[in-house]
Amino acid sequence: MSGIVFKVAKGLGFLIAGLIGLLLILFILIFGRFQVASWSNLASLGPSAPELNVDGFAFRDLNKNDQLDVYEDRRASVEARVDDLLGQMTLEEKAGLMFINFTPVGAKGNLVEIPSLSDPTTLIFAKNSDLIAHRHMNHFSLLAPVDEPATFIAWHNKLQGLAERTRLGIPVTLASDPRHGVKGAGSISLPAGAFSKWPEPLGLAAIGNADLVEEFADIARQEYRAVGIHVALHPVADLATEPRWSRISGTFGEDANLSARMVGAYVRGMQGAALGPGSVATMVKHFSGGGPQMDGEDAHFPYGKEQVYPGDNFDYHLIPFIEGAFPAGAAQIMPYYGIPMGQTSEDVGFAFNKEIITDLLRNQHGFEGVVCSDWGLITDAKILGTIGIMEARAWGVEDLSHEDRMLKMIAAGIDQFGGENIPAMLVKLVRDGSVEEARLDVSVRRLLRDKFRLGLFDAPYTDLEQANAIVGRDDFMAKGLAAQRKSVVLLKNGQNDANHWLPVSTRPKLYIENVDPVVAGEYADLVETPEEADLAIIRIESPYEQREGPIASMLHAGDVDFKAPEKARILNLLETVPTVVNIYLDRGIVMPEISEASAALIADFGAEDAVILDLVFGQSEPTGKLPIEMPSSVEAVSNQFEDVPFDSADPLYPFGFGLTYEQAASETAIIETEQE
């Protein structure tokens, strides 16, 4: 028997060893392929740009021809420089300029050339040298956090060094989704890291002060440029007229006039009076308004591809663009994924729709800047180029080939393809006569114009000493904290005029949930159970349905009401001890029973624990006003129109509601549309 066991064990050992060997071979083949490709890409690049001294000035000889070309001469006009460079570009270089996608950032400040299991983004996104040297791309977006400037700047400067070694030395433009919120929200916004921390845009709208928004955007501009971020994939000009939509926290609420003022201020703060070397170009999204999603579902997914207008309110969603983004001089625009149902002669997604991009945006409203599509409209997203993780958002044109999708976007008026790495496809379409090279020149001219205006051809590198002096500066952090305080909305304070719980003037026995006990201990004596407490403070998140998938799991979508058992647990607590409920509000939440049973109800849009405790204990006062409605029931949400604001029947808390400590709890605090 022992001999049989030995033979079986030996066989299993050989089998396991064989499997390990096979996996090792596969590992070597896969990662070796990336290493060989990296060596090839780097070998194809030329030297760094030497310095030219002309008329007592130093210039960068980007094309390494030992003479000063017009595009290298910072004294020349932007248009002259664009003309000169465009005339020197090959078809492949033009095509590469018309794509923007994510690129990974090296964890130690190094270029990312080999996929790493420790960083999943390196398995999905093409490597740095492949994009720059092989595909001639030089626009990238970033997901990596900026936890401290040194690592990010080291990587950024190495990336710009790669770009400098290309034939024409065209610098890299880096873009980012928002990254200044107290909460990072997946694909909507990113963690603030070392940057100053502010409420989400919905919280800025709760403050309602355009001057403050402009100041915030100016601070964000300084922190972005300090580390090498040049384009903001924001602000969001969409309107929150559909309370179930998952992207409301990134908007300025549901009032178009308020949003227009906020968007205009945001653009001015980021760009200044005109786009220049210190600016961050804003890519305002999503034209012509991405908020009225059918049943609140998001257009990232096929079940949310339809935007509907049952209230015939299409033009209302244009107001933040017409009265906000355009007058402020927004440099770039992004249309959304969805189909504006019944609004044009064909029901196709915005980026495929010539009547939206060319007729409405360009011709009717005179927009002359860059129009970049949202991410992934042509090809499916894949891991290591093989394992599909998300289908292309080619809504309305799903049956078209990849090439025909691209052609339709070009015909619609798109300048840049977001979330794609396929310039070779565009080159092929030109070579086979499907599209004229002159059409590419129109878009390339717009893209180059922004690179020149941003000063990237003359000074693409960032300085660590300067960044350390700017990023997370004490006064920036203090202003962000002050904005958090101003954004908080007091919705309820006791049951009647004689029973106001806030502000608390004593040092109570306090029970807490989701509050840092170290912070809370500065205000009260903490206890372990509600039964021991004089007062409880709980911080809760807005409810949502957990969805499956890499993007869906990050978006808070679906029903907006609390479900059992969590609802019952909260209500039981409220019956046990007087409780201050603080809810992070990222959508129009239904919570009448919790509101009724609470001692006080506070809404925030991204606020640190100390901000909430300062308000509860009277060290600050509530001033924020709701930028969205809070509906009274799920039925009211279902019955409202997706494209119409303020139309929820008998809302629990209407738009503009917000109490102060000087008001009786029974009084309303409705603001006018003009909040300032």
Side-chain angles (χ1 to χ4, degrees), residues 329-361:
Q332 303 185 9
I333 290 289
M334 177 187 288
Y336 203 35
Y337 296 120
I339 301 171
M341 299 299 294
Q343 303 304 305
T344 58
S345 61
E346 58 174 347
D347 286 335
V348 296
F350 286 105
F352 300 100
N353 198 316
K354 184 177 181 180
E355 292 171 61
I356 294 292
I357 305 302
T358 296
D359 296 347
L360 181 61
L361 177 60

PDB file of all heavy atoms in Angstrom, residues 329-361:
ATOM      1  N   GLY A 329     -15.083  80.789 -21.809  1.00  0.00           N
ATOM      2  CA  GLY A 329     -14.010  80.397 -22.709  1.00  0.00           C
ATOM      3  C   GLY A 329     -13.508  78.986 -22.549  1.00  0.00           C
ATOM      4  O   GLY A 329     -12.325  78.708 -22.788  1.00  0.00           O
ATOM      5  N   ALA A 330     -14.377  78.055 -22.160  1.00  0.00           N
ATOM      6  CA  ALA A 330     -13.959  76.657 -21.997  1.00  0.00           C
ATOM      7  C   ALA A 330     -13.190  76.178 -23.220  1.00  0.00           C
ATOM      8  O   ALA A 330     -13.646  76.341 -24.356  1.00  0.00           O
ATOM      9  CB  ALA A 330     -15.177  75.773 -21.750  1.00  0.00           C
ATOM     10  N   ALA A 331     -12.036  75.576 -22.991  1.00  0.00           N
ATOM     11  CA  ALA A 331     -11.166  75.179 -24.097  1.00  0.00           C
ATOM     12  C   ALA A 331     -11.644  73.917 -24.788  1.00  0.00           C
ATOM     13  O   ALA A 331     -11.460  73.768 -26.007  1.00  0.00           O
ATOM     14  CB  ALA A 331      -9.745  74.975 -23.579  1.00  0.00           C
ATOM     15  N   GLN A 332     -12.253  72.997 -24.033  1.00  0.00           N
ATOM     16  CA  GLN A 332     -12.593  71.699 -24.589  1.00  0.00           C
ATOM     17  C   GLN A 332     -13.961  71.262 -24.081  1.00  0.00           C
ATOM     18  O   GLN A 332     -14.432  71.726 -23.044  1.00  0.00           O
ATOM     19  CB  GLN A 332     -11.517  70.665 -24.212  1.00  0.00           C
ATOM     20  CG  GLN A 332     -10.118  71.078 -24.660  1.00  0.00           C
ATOM     21  CD  GLN A 332      -9.058  70.020 -24.410  1.00  0.00           C
ATOM     22  OE1 GLN A 332      -9.361  68.884 -24.038  1.00  0.00           O
ATOM     23  NE2 GLN A 332      -7.810  70.383 -24.626  1.00  0.00           N
ATOM     24  N   ILE A 333     -14.586  70.374 -24.828  1.00  0.00           N
ATOM     25  CA  ILE A 333     -15.918  69.861 -24.502  1.00  0.00           C
ATOM     26  C   ILE A 333     -15.922  68.352 -24.689  1.00  0.00           C
ATOM     27  O   ILE A 333     -15.322  67.826 -25.633  1.00  0.00           O
ATOM     28  CB  ILE A 333     -17.000  70.494 -25.409  1.00  0.00           C
ATOM     29  CG1 ILE A 333     -17.199  71.965 -25.069  1.00  0.00           C
ATOM     30  CG2 ILE A 333     -18.322  69.726 -25.304  1.00  0.00           C
ATOM     31  CD1 ILE A 333     -17.880  72.229 -23.738  1.00  0.00           C
ATOM     32  N   MET A 334     -16.618  67.650 -23.782  1.00  0.00           N
ATOM     33  CA  MET A 334     -16.818  66.211 -23.928  1.00  0.00           C
ATOM     34  C   MET A 334     -18.315  65.913 -23.984  1.00  0.00           C
ATOM     35  O   MET A 334     -19.043  66.288 -23.072  1.00  0.00           O
ATOM     36  CB  MET A 334     -16.211  65.447 -22.746  1.00  0.00           C
ATOM     37  CG  MET A 334     -16.447  63.934 -22.813  1.00  0.00           C
ATOM     38  SD  MET A 334     -15.915  63.037 -21.312  1.00  0.00           S
ATOM     39  CE  MET A 334     -14.136  63.147 -21.491  1.00  0.00           C
ATOM     40  N   PRO A 335     -18.788  65.252 -25.032  1.00  0.00           N
ATOM     41  CA  PRO A 335     -20.173  64.746 -25.040  1.00  0.00           C
ATOM     42  C   PRO A 335     -20.256  63.449 -24.248  1.00  0.00           C
ATOM     43  O   PRO A 335     -19.233  62.808 -23.996  1.00  0.00           O
ATOM     44  CB  PRO A 335     -20.457  64.520 -26.527  1.00  0.00           C
ATOM     45  CG  PRO A 335     -19.114  64.265 -27.131  1.00  0.00           C
ATOM     46  CD  PRO A 335     -18.104  65.023 -26.309  1.00  0.00           C
ATOM     47  N   TYR A 336     -21.474  63.068 -23.855  1.00  0.00           N
ATOM     48  CA  TYR A 336     -21.645  61.864 -23.040  1.00  0.00           C
ATOM     49  C   TYR A 336     -21.871  60.646 -23.933  1.00  0.00           C
ATOM     50  O   TYR A 336     -21.879  60.727 -25.155  1.00  0.00           O
ATOM     51  CB  TYR A 336     -22.809  62.061 -22.060  1.00  0.00           C
ATOM     52  CG  TYR A 336     -22.742  61.178 -20.840  1.00  0.00           C
ATOM     53  CD1 TYR A 336     -21.519  60.852 -20.261  1.00  0.00           C
ATOM     54  CD2 TYR A 336     -23.888  60.669 -20.245  1.00  0.00           C
ATOM     55  CE1 TYR A 336     -21.439  60.051 -19.132  1.00  0.00           C
ATOM     56  CE2 TYR A 336     -23.827  59.873 -19.109  1.00  0.00           C
ATOM     57  CZ  TYR A 336     -22.597  59.565 -18.564  1.00  0.00           C
ATOM     58  OH  TYR A 336     -22.525  58.771 -17.444  1.00  0.00           O
ATOM     59  N   TYR A 337     -22.075  59.501 -23.298  1.00  0.00           N
ATOM     60  CA  TYR A 337     -22.312  58.260 -24.010  1.00  0.00           C
ATOM     61  C   TYR A 337     -23.734  58.151 -24.567  1.00  0.00           C
ATOM     62  O   TYR A 337     -23.963  57.538 -25.600  1.00  0.00           O
ATOM     63  CB  TYR A 337     -22.120  57.067 -23.067  1.00  0.00           C
ATOM     64  CG  TYR A 337     -20.738  56.874 -22.530  1.00  0.00           C
ATOM     65  CD1 TYR A 337     -20.496  56.906 -21.159  1.00  0.00           C
ATOM     66  CD2 TYR A 337     -19.664  56.625 -23.380  1.00  0.00           C
ATOM     67  CE1 TYR A 337     -19.223  56.696 -20.643  1.00  0.00           C
ATOM     68  CE2 TYR A 337     -18.394  56.418 -22.875  1.00  0.00           C
ATOM     69  CZ  TYR A 337     -18.180  56.458 -21.512  1.00  0.00           C
ATOM     70  OH  TYR A 337     -16.922  56.248 -21.011  1.00  0.00           O
ATOM     71  N   GLY A 338     -24.704  58.715 -23.853  1.00  0.00           N
ATOM     72  CA  GLY A 338     -26.102  58.385 -24.083  1.00  0.00           C
ATOM     73  C   GLY A 338     -26.661  58.812 -25.422  1.00  0.00           C
ATOM     74  O   GLY A 338     -26.068  59.593 -26.168  1.00  0.00           O
ATOM     75  N   ILE A 339     -27.846  58.310 -25.705  1.00  0.00           N
ATOM     76  CA  ILE A 339     -28.599  58.667 -26.911  1.00  0.00           C
ATOM     77  C   ILE A 339     -29.669  59.681 -26.518  1.00  0.00           C
ATOM     78  O   ILE A 339     -30.524  59.385 -25.678  1.00  0.00           O
ATOM     79  CB  ILE A 339     -29.286  57.428 -27.518  1.00  0.00           C
ATOM     80  CG1 ILE A 339     -28.259  56.356 -27.884  1.00  0.00           C
ATOM     81  CG2 ILE A 339     -30.116  57.820 -28.737  1.00  0.00           C
ATOM     82  CD1 ILE A 339     -28.890  55.024 -28.288  1.00  0.00           C
ATOM     83  N   PRO A 340     -29.655  60.874 -27.094  1.00  0.00           N
ATOM     84  CA  PRO A 340     -30.721  61.842 -26.810  1.00  0.00           C
ATOM     85  C   PRO A 340     -31.981  61.455 -27.580  1.00  0.00           C
ATOM     86  O   PRO A 340     -32.225  61.918 -28.706  1.00  0.00           O
ATOM     87  CB  PRO A 340     -30.129  63.170 -27.302  1.00  0.00           C
ATOM     88  CG  PRO A 340     -29.183  62.778 -28.396  1.00  0.00           C
ATOM     89  CD  PRO A 340     -28.633  61.426 -28.014  1.00  0.00           C
ATOM     90  N   MET A 341     -32.787  60.627 -26.983  1.00  0.00           N
ATOM     91  CA  MET A 341     -33.905  60.002 -27.679  1.00  0.00           C
ATOM     92  C   MET A 341     -34.887  61.039 -28.236  1.00  0.00           C
ATOM     93  O   MET A 341     -35.382  61.908 -27.520  1.00  0.00           O
ATOM     94  CB  MET A 341     -34.635  59.055 -26.737  1.00  0.00           C
ATOM     95  CG  MET A 341     -33.780  57.918 -26.198  1.00  0.00           C
ATOM     96  SD  MET A 341     -33.124  56.840 -27.500  1.00  0.00           S
ATOM     97  CE  MET A 341     -34.642  56.126 -28.126  1.00  0.00           C
ATOM     98  N   GLY A 342     -35.119  60.919 -29.554  1.00  0.00           N
ATOM     99  CA  GLY A 342     -36.118  61.749 -30.209  1.00  0.00           C
ATOM    100  C   GLY A 342     -35.725  63.190 -30.420  1.00  0.00           C
ATOM    101  O   GLY A 342     -36.562  64.006 -30.838  1.00  0.00           O
ATOM    102  N   GLN A 343     -34.457  63.543 -30.187  1.00  0.00           N
ATOM    103  CA  GLN A 343     -34.052  64.941 -30.296  1.00  0.00           C
ATOM    104  C   GLN A 343     -33.385  65.272 -31.627  1.00  0.00           C
ATOM    105  O   GLN A 343     -33.242  66.442 -31.976  1.00  0.00           O
ATOM    106  CB  GLN A 343     -33.103  65.306 -29.150  1.00  0.00           C
ATOM    107  CG  GLN A 343     -33.684  65.056 -27.774  1.00  0.00           C
ATOM    108  CD  GLN A 343     -34.998  65.774 -27.550  1.00  0.00           C
ATOM    109  OE1 GLN A 343     -35.075  67.001 -27.707  1.00  0.00           O
ATOM    110  NE2 GLN A 343     -36.034  65.025 -27.185  1.00  0.00           N
ATOM    111  N   THR A 344     -32.959  64.261 -32.355  1.00  0.00           N
ATOM    112  CA  THR A 344     -32.343  64.460 -33.667  1.00  0.00           C
ATOM    113  C   THR A 344     -32.928  63.442 -34.643  1.00  0.00           C
ATOM    114  O   THR A 344     -33.733  62.589 -34.260  1.00  0.00           O
ATOM    115  CB  THR A 344     -30.813  64.300 -33.586  1.00  0.00           C
ATOM    116  OG1 THR A 344     -30.492  62.993 -33.084  1.00  0.00           O
ATOM    117  CG2 THR A 344     -30.198  65.355 -32.669  1.00  0.00           C
ATOM    118  N   SER A 345     -32.491  63.519 -35.877  1.00  0.00           N
ATOM    119  CA  SER A 345     -33.087  62.672 -36.911  1.00  0.00           C
ATOM    120  C   SER A 345     -32.710  61.199 -36.774  1.00  0.00           C
ATOM    121  O   SER A 345     -33.340  60.342 -37.391  1.00  0.00           O
ATOM    122  CB  SER A 345     -32.681  63.177 -38.300  1.00  0.00           C
ATOM    123  OG  SER A 345     -31.273  63.129 -38.469  1.00  0.00           O
ATOM    124  N   GLU A 346     -31.657  60.888 -35.995  1.00  0.00           N
ATOM    125  CA  GLU A 346     -31.298  59.494 -35.729  1.00  0.00           C
ATOM    126  C   GLU A 346     -30.946  59.347 -34.256  1.00  0.00           C
ATOM    127  O   GLU A 346     -30.329  60.222 -33.649  1.00  0.00           O
ATOM    128  CB  GLU A 346     -30.130  59.027 -36.604  1.00  0.00           C
ATOM    129  CG  GLU A 346     -28.854  59.847 -36.470  1.00  0.00           C
ATOM    130  CD  GLU A 346     -27.696  59.250 -37.245  1.00  0.00           C
ATOM    131  OE1 GLU A 346     -27.804  58.075 -37.676  1.00  0.00           O
ATOM    132  OE2 GLU A 346     -26.679  59.930 -37.412  1.00  0.00           O
ATOM    133  N   ASP A 347     -31.375  58.242 -33.677  1.00  0.00           N
ATOM    134  CA  ASP A 347     -31.127  57.982 -32.263  1.00  0.00           C
ATOM    135  C   ASP A 347     -29.792  57.259 -32.108  1.00  0.00           C
ATOM    136  O   ASP A 347     -29.729  56.025 -32.063  1.00  0.00           O
ATOM    137  CB  ASP A 347     -32.268  57.160 -31.662  1.00  0.00           C
ATOM    138  CG  ASP A 347     -33.526  57.983 -31.450  1.00  0.00           C
ATOM    139  OD1 ASP A 347     -33.420  59.217 -31.308  1.00  0.00           O
ATOM    140  OD2 ASP A 347     -34.626  57.392 -31.435  1.00  0.00           O
ATOM    141  N   VAL A 348     -28.731  58.054 -32.039  1.00  0.00           N
ATOM    142  CA  VAL A 348     -27.382  57.524 -31.813  1.00  0.00           C
ATOM    143  C   VAL A 348     -26.734  58.333 -30.698  1.00  0.00           C
ATOM    144  O   VAL A 348     -27.152  59.446 -30.385  1.00  0.00           O
ATOM    145  CB  VAL A 348     -26.516  57.592 -33.089  1.00  0.00           C
ATOM    146  CG1 VAL A 348     -27.099  56.700 -34.173  1.00  0.00           C
ATOM    147  CG2 VAL A 348     -26.379  59.033 -33.589  1.00  0.00           C
ATOM    148  N   GLY A 349     -25.688  57.757 -30.083  1.00  0.00           N
ATOM    149  CA  GLY A 349     -24.993  58.425 -28.999  1.00  0.00           C
ATOM    150  C   GLY A 349     -24.469  59.787 -29.405  1.00  0.00           C
ATOM    151  O   GLY A 349     -24.208  60.058 -30.589  1.00  0.00           O
ATOM    152  N   PHE A 350     -24.293  60.664 -28.433  1.00  0.00           N
ATOM    153  CA  PHE A 350     -23.906  62.049 -28.701  1.00  0.00           C
ATOM    154  C   PHE A 350     -22.671  62.160 -29.588  1.00  0.00           C
ATOM    155  O   PHE A 350     -22.631  62.981 -30.503  1.00  0.00           O
ATOM    156  CB  PHE A 350     -23.625  62.770 -27.368  1.00  0.00           C
ATOM    157  CG  PHE A 350     -24.850  63.105 -26.584  1.00  0.00           C
ATOM    158  CD1 PHE A 350     -25.180  62.381 -25.462  1.00  0.00           C
ATOM    159  CD2 PHE A 350     -25.678  64.156 -26.962  1.00  0.00           C
ATOM    160  CE1 PHE A 350     -26.311  62.688 -24.717  1.00  0.00           C
ATOM    161  CE2 PHE A 350     -26.807  64.466 -26.235  1.00  0.00           C
ATOM    162  CZ  PHE A 350     -27.130  63.732 -25.108  1.00  0.00           C
ATOM    163  N   ALA A 351     -21.641  61.363 -29.325  1.00  0.00           N
ATOM    164  CA  ALA A 351     -20.393  61.493 -30.065  1.00  0.00           C
ATOM    165  C   ALA A 351     -20.497  60.987 -31.495  1.00  0.00           C
ATOM    166  O   ALA A 351     -19.606  61.246 -32.313  1.00  0.00           O
ATOM    167  CB  ALA A 351     -19.270  60.755 -29.340  1.00  0.00           C
ATOM    168  N   PHE A 352     -21.546  60.269 -31.814  1.00  0.00           N
ATOM    169  CA  PHE A 352     -21.788  59.805 -33.186  1.00  0.00           C
ATOM    170  C   PHE A 352     -22.772  60.727 -33.915  1.00  0.00           C
ATOM    171  O   PHE A 352     -23.089  60.493 -35.077  1.00  0.00           O
ATOM    172  CB  PHE A 352     -22.363  58.387 -33.174  1.00  0.00           C
ATOM    173  CG  PHE A 352     -21.475  57.360 -32.542  1.00  0.00           C
ATOM    174  CD1 PHE A 352     -21.694  56.934 -31.239  1.00  0.00           C
ATOM    175  CD2 PHE A 352     -20.403  56.814 -33.237  1.00  0.00           C
ATOM    176  CE1 PHE A 352     -20.885  55.985 -30.645  1.00  0.00           C
ATOM    177  CE2 PHE A 352     -19.584  55.865 -32.653  1.00  0.00           C
ATOM    178  CZ  PHE A 352     -19.816  55.449 -31.347  1.00  0.00           C
ATOM    179  N   ASN A 353     -23.236  61.754 -33.238  1.00  0.00           N
ATOM    180  CA  ASN A 353     -24.385  62.521 -33.706  1.00  0.00           C
ATOM    181  C   ASN A 353     -23.947  63.869 -34.277  1.00  0.00           C
ATOM    182  O   ASN A 353     -23.645  64.814 -33.538  1.00  0.00           O
ATOM    183  CB  ASN A 353     -25.354  62.728 -32.527  1.00  0.00           C
ATOM    184  CG  ASN A 353     -26.737  63.115 -32.997  1.00  0.00           C
ATOM    185  OD1 ASN A 353     -26.894  63.942 -33.880  1.00  0.00           O
ATOM    186  ND2 ASN A 353     -27.745  62.514 -32.388  1.00  0.00           N
ATOM    187  N   LYS A 354     -23.927  63.982 -35.584  1.00  0.00           N
ATOM    188  CA  LYS A 354     -23.486  65.209 -36.245  1.00  0.00           C
ATOM    189  C   LYS A 354     -24.395  66.384 -35.917  1.00  0.00           C
ATOM    190  O   LYS A 354     -23.940  67.532 -35.817  1.00  0.00           O
ATOM    191  CB  LYS A 354     -23.432  64.992 -37.762  1.00  0.00           C
ATOM    192  CG  LYS A 354     -22.881  66.194 -38.530  1.00  0.00           C
ATOM    193  CD  LYS A 354     -22.769  65.902 -40.016  1.00  0.00           C
ATOM    194  CE  LYS A 354     -22.191  67.105 -40.754  1.00  0.00           C
ATOM    195  NZ  LYS A 354     -22.079  66.843 -42.225  1.00  0.00           N
ATOM    196  N   GLU A 355     -25.675  66.126 -35.714  1.00  0.00           N
ATOM    197  CA  GLU A 355     -26.593  67.225 -35.395  1.00  0.00           C
ATOM    198  C   GLU A 355     -26.306  67.816 -34.024  1.00  0.00           C
ATOM    199  O   GLU A 355     -26.600  68.995 -33.780  1.00  0.00           O
ATOM    200  CB  GLU A 355     -28.040  66.733 -35.475  1.00  0.00           C
ATOM    201  CG  GLU A 355     -28.475  66.389 -36.897  1.00  0.00           C
ATOM    202  CD  GLU A 355     -29.833  65.713 -36.926  1.00  0.00           C
ATOM    203  OE1 GLU A 355     -30.817  66.331 -36.494  1.00  0.00           O
ATOM    204  OE2 GLU A 355     -29.907  64.548 -37.379  1.00  0.00           O
ATOM    205  N   ILE A 356     -25.724  67.028 -33.131  1.00  0.00           N
ATOM    206  CA  ILE A 356     -25.356  67.524 -31.806  1.00  0.00           C
ATOM    207  C   ILE A 356     -23.995  68.223 -31.859  1.00  0.00           C
ATOM    208  O   ILE A 356     -23.840  69.353 -31.376  1.00  0.00           O
ATOM    209  CB  ILE A 356     -25.323  66.378 -30.777  1.00  0.00           C
ATOM    210  CG1 ILE A 356     -26.734  65.803 -30.569  1.00  0.00           C
ATOM    211  CG2 ILE A 356     -24.726  66.864 -29.460  1.00  0.00           C
ATOM    212  CD1 ILE A 356     -27.705  66.745 -29.880  1.00  0.00           C
ATOM    213  N   ILE A 357     -22.988  67.558 -32.423  1.00  0.00           N
ATOM    214  CA  ILE A 357     -21.615  68.068 -32.359  1.00  0.00           C
ATOM    215  C   ILE A 357     -21.373  69.197 -33.358  1.00  0.00           C
ATOM    216  O   ILE A 357     -20.875  70.268 -32.991  1.00  0.00           O
ATOM    217  CB  ILE A 357     -20.592  66.932 -32.586  1.00  0.00           C
ATOM    218  CG1 ILE A 357     -20.829  65.780 -31.604  1.00  0.00           C
ATOM    219  CG2 ILE A 357     -19.172  67.471 -32.474  1.00  0.00           C
ATOM    220  CD1 ILE A 357     -20.748  66.180 -30.158  1.00  0.00           C
ATOM    221  N   THR A 358     -21.710  68.970 -34.604  1.00  0.00           N
ATOM    222  CA  THR A 358     -21.426  69.986 -35.625  1.00  0.00           C
ATOM    223  C   THR A 358     -22.523  71.039 -35.721  1.00  0.00           C
ATOM    224  O   THR A 358     -22.255  72.246 -35.647  1.00  0.00           O
ATOM    225  CB  THR A 358     -21.218  69.317 -36.999  1.00  0.00           C
ATOM    226  OG1 THR A 358     -20.050  68.484 -36.940  1.00  0.00           O
ATOM    227  CG2 THR A 358     -21.019  70.371 -38.086  1.00  0.00           C
ATOM    228  N   ASP A 359     -23.768  70.602 -35.855  1.00  0.00           N
ATOM    229  CA  ASP A 359     -24.848  71.580 -36.065  1.00  0.00           C
ATOM    230  C   ASP A 359     -25.119  72.409 -34.813  1.00  0.00           C
ATOM    231  O   ASP A 359     -25.182  73.642 -34.876  1.00  0.00           O
ATOM    232  CB  ASP A 359     -26.126  70.862 -36.505  1.00  0.00           C
ATOM    233  CG  ASP A 359     -25.978  70.165 -37.847  1.00  0.00           C
ATOM    234  OD1 ASP A 359     -24.976  70.441 -38.537  1.00  0.00           O
ATOM    235  OD2 ASP A 359     -26.842  69.335 -38.190  1.00  0.00           O
ATOM    236  N   LEU A 360     -25.263  71.744 -33.663  1.00  0.00           N
ATOM    237  CA  LEU A 360     -25.638  72.461 -32.441  1.00  0.00           C
ATOM    238  C   LEU A 360     -24.428  73.098 -31.756  1.00  0.00           C
ATOM    239  O   LEU A 360     -24.422  74.312 -31.501  1.00  0.00           O
ATOM    240  CB  LEU A 360     -26.338  71.501 -31.475  1.00  0.00           C
ATOM    241  CG  LEU A 360     -26.827  72.100 -30.154  1.00  0.00           C
ATOM    242  CD1 LEU A 360     -27.850  73.202 -30.401  1.00  0.00           C
ATOM    243  CD2 LEU A 360     -27.428  71.011 -29.255  1.00  0.00           C
ATOM    244  N   LEU A 361     -23.414  72.307 -31.453  1.00  0.00           N
ATOM    245  CA  LEU A 361     -22.279  72.813 -30.693  1.00  0.00           C
ATOM    246  C   LEU A 361     -21.417  73.770 -31.516  1.00  0.00           C
ATOM    247  O   LEU A 361     -21.122  74.892 -31.077  1.00  0.00           O
ATOM    248  CB  LEU A 361     -21.434  71.641 -30.193  1.00  0.00           C
ATOM    249  CG  LEU A 361     -20.150  71.984 -29.433  1.00  0.00           C
ATOM    250  CD1 LEU A 361     -20.448  72.807 -28.193  1.00  0.00           C
ATOM    251  CD2 LEU A 361     -19.386  70.706 -29.073  1.00  0.00           C
TER     252      LEU A 361
END
